[in-house]
Amino acid sequence: MKYEPHNYQSFATDFILNSPIAAIFLEMGLGKSVITLTAINDLLFDSFEICKILVIAPLRVARDTWPAELAKWDHLKYIKASVVIGTEKERREALMKRANIYLINRENVKWLVENYRFNFEMVVIDELSSFKAHSSQRFKALRKVRPTVKRMVGLTGTPTPNGLMDLWAEIGILDMGQRLGRFIGGFRERYFVPDKRNQTVVFSYKPREGAEQAIYEKISDIAVSMKSMDYLKMPECITNNVEVHMSEKEMVLYKKLKTELLLPFDGGDIDAKSSVSLSSKLLQMANGAVYDENGGVRQIHDRKLDALEDLIEAANGKPVLIAYWFKHDFERITHRFSATKLDTAKDIAKWNDGEITIAII
């Protein structure tokens, strides 16, 4: 497929090309992967600045998303990638292959640093927020070899999922502490004050007045932030709530469990030993089946399956994606419908190509 970038994508690609350190904060759907790969393509085959890149990503993203992006776009056809996942033997073999990009899941960063000469000229961290914990093994391992890397790119849509404190480690792994300081204690002292605490122990911190703006200004020269709603032209999302009602007999069982925390059955009762357990049991009953005390499945009704059948029929061959919560939901759905679980890279590719009509996740 021919790549015709939007203006914001060209801007982000140029930003990576012109910035040895780049934090790309783009929400889902804006194309972080192809933006970065386009910059990598230029650095490899146009300016010849780099020849070996490491991409660190969540397992499925490393295994499925990045290889799929490389295969999708015509201008990336000369980039060779090796996926460094699986058993240790498979990872070692992948590292021995001649490639431009080596894709590894974040859980194996420590293994890579400890077992191989870290000679990557560029490192891309896909989902930078996974390096927000400065005490984690992956953070410590990557920080150890960070001075040997010429170019760093961090990609994420949510850089501060738990608050501004997360930014110290995320930005620090990119710029080695140049902007927010080399030590977490100094960063905390400059920009935060104690929040919840007892006499001697501080449980949480809150930003000082003006801290947010001050932190953003510190990192503004290496960061780009964009929201999907500002750049993507998406069709309106239409939510259609389909209500399903249990029969009177089924509702009697539901209310009995809710009030008495017990439903007696031959071979195994349904019992709720806590409020959390009760909530789970009631959710299962609403879905149509529930686990008993022995792990068996007690079927209560098929109301939601009947409604699902109507929805699939109304789709008239168009793709339907079903999300399930409990294992017995999956078993009951797949017993009734010919649904494919999106689990492997092959299944996901088939879904994207329109070869799967009913998928379940």
Side-chain angles (χ1 to χ4, degrees):
M1 183 184 298
K2 184 179 180 181
Y3 179 53
E4 297 179 355
H6 298 287
N7 290 337
Y8 75 86
Q9 291 177 316
S10 296
F11 175 84
T13 295
D14 290 341
F15 189 86
I16 294 173
L17 291 173
N18 296 321
S19 305
I21 301 170
I24 309 299
F25 302 152
L26 271 62
E27 288 187 346
M28 186 180 295
L30 291 178
K32 294 187 290 291
S33 300
V34 70
I35 286 169
T36 308
L37 283 169
T38 302
I40 288 173
N41 190 67
D42 191 297
L43 292 167
L44 282 170
F45 305 124
D46 190 2
S47 61
F48 307 107
E49 286 189 34
I50 57 173
C51 62
K52 194 172 183 181
I53 304 103
L54 178 70
V55 174
I56 303 168
L59 177 61
R60 291 194 182 191
V61 176
R63 185 191 66 191
D64 303 330
T65 304
W66 284 78
E69 286 292 300
L70 285 169
K72 180 178 181 180
W73 304 108
D74 295 340
H75 70 297
L76 304 176
K77 61 184 178 182
Y78 296 112
I79 298 179
K80 295 181 179 179
S82 180
V83 181
V84 188
I85 64 172
T87 64
E88 184 169 355
K89 181 176 181 292
E90 291 170 334
R91 297 196 302 268
R92 291 185 183 276
E93 290 175 352
L95 286 169
M96 293 297 292
K97 293 180 181 179
R98 292 180 63 87
N100 306 115
I101 297 177
Y102 294 83
L103 297 153
I104 193 168
N105 57 307
R106 55 203 180 191
E107 291 81 8
N108 281 318
V109 171
K110 181 175 181 287
W111 170 84
L112 176 65
V113 171
E114 291 179 349
N115 291 277
Y116 283 87
R117 184 167 68 92
F118 201 88
N119 58 349
F120 300 97
E121 295 151 309
M122 181 175 182
V123 172
V124 177
I125 304 174
D126 190 352
E127 201 41 66
L128 183 60
S129 61
S130 64
F131 279 78
K132 65 180 181 292
H134 64 276
S135 60
S136 66
Q137 292 184 343
R138 71 183 68 153
F139 178 87
K140 292 177 180 178
L142 188 58
R143 184 173 63 174
K144 189 182 300 182
V145 295
R146 169 61 185 90
T148 67
V149 182
K150 290 170 56 178
R151 284 181 166 271
M152 290 288 297
V153 178
L155 308 174
T156 187
T158 53
T160 57
N162 301 315
L164 289 170
M165 195 74 75
D166 292 344
L167 280 176
W168 180 83
E170 295 174 22
I171 298 300
I173 203 66
L174 299 180
D175 73 351
M176 295 184 286
Q178 294 177 28
R179 287 159 184 81
L180 299 182
R182 293 182 58 197
F183 303 102
I184 183 67
F187 174 71
R188 189 184 296 131
E189 185 176 340
R190 284 189 296 274
Y191 298 107
F192 298 85
V193 294
D195 186 15
K196 297 178 182 178
R197 61 185 299 175
N198 60 21
Q199 290 182 345
T200 58
V201 179
V202 178
F203 298 107
S204 63
Y205 291 84
K206 60 183 179 181
R208 295 179 183 273
E209 186 176 351
E212 184 174 12
Q213 186 61 32
I215 291 171
Y216 291 162
E217 288 178 359
K218 282 280 188 180
I219 67 173
S220 62
D221 64 317
I222 64 167
V224 169
S225 178
M226 299 180 187
K227 293 184 177 181
S228 301
M229 61 182 296
D230 296 329
Y231 295 94
L232 285 184
K233 295 180 179 179
M234 298 290 288
E236 182 184 358
C237 179
I238 300 173
T239 301
N240 180 25
N241 293 316
V242 179
E243 293 190 2
V244 178
H245 300 277
M246 287 185 275
S247 67
E248 289 186 16
K249 182 179 178 181
E250 293 154 1
M251 278 302 299
V252 168
L253 295 176
Y254 182 93
K255 291 178 179 178
K256 182 178 177 65
L257 178 62
K258 183 178 180 181
T259 56
E260 300 180 12
L261 310 185
L262 179 70
L263 281 180
F265 281 93
D266 293 337
D269 298 336
I270 299 172
D271 62 338
K273 298 177 181 179
S274 66
S275 58
V276 174
S277 175
L278 176 62
S279 176
S280 176
K281 298 292 185 184
L282 294 175
L283 284 169
Q284 292 177 56
M285 288 190 73
N287 281 5
V290 60
Y291 291 114
D292 64 26
E293 60 184 349
N294 298 319
V297 178
R298 300 288 175 176
Q299 185 163 330
I300 308 298
H301 64 81
D302 285 336
R303 309 294 175 185
K304 290 186 73 174
L305 289 174
D306 294 340
L308 179 59
E309 184 173 355
D310 293 340
L311 292 171
I312 291 173
E313 184 178 349
N316 198 25
K318 292 184 178 179
V320 175
L321 181 62
I322 306 167
Y324 73 95
W325 188 257
F326 301 101
K327 288 182 180 179
H328 57 62
D329 291 336
F330 171 78
E331 293 165 357
R332 293 169 64 237
I333 291 169
T334 53
H335 179 74
R336 184 155 173 175
F337 306 102
S338 181
T340 301
K341 187 176 182 181
L342 297 187
D343 195 23
T344 67
K346 186 177 180 180
D347 292 332
I348 294 171
K350 285 185 175 180
W351 168 258
N352 289 335
D353 292 337
E355 298 178 21
I356 296 175
T357 305
I358 305 174
I360 186 168
I361 57 173

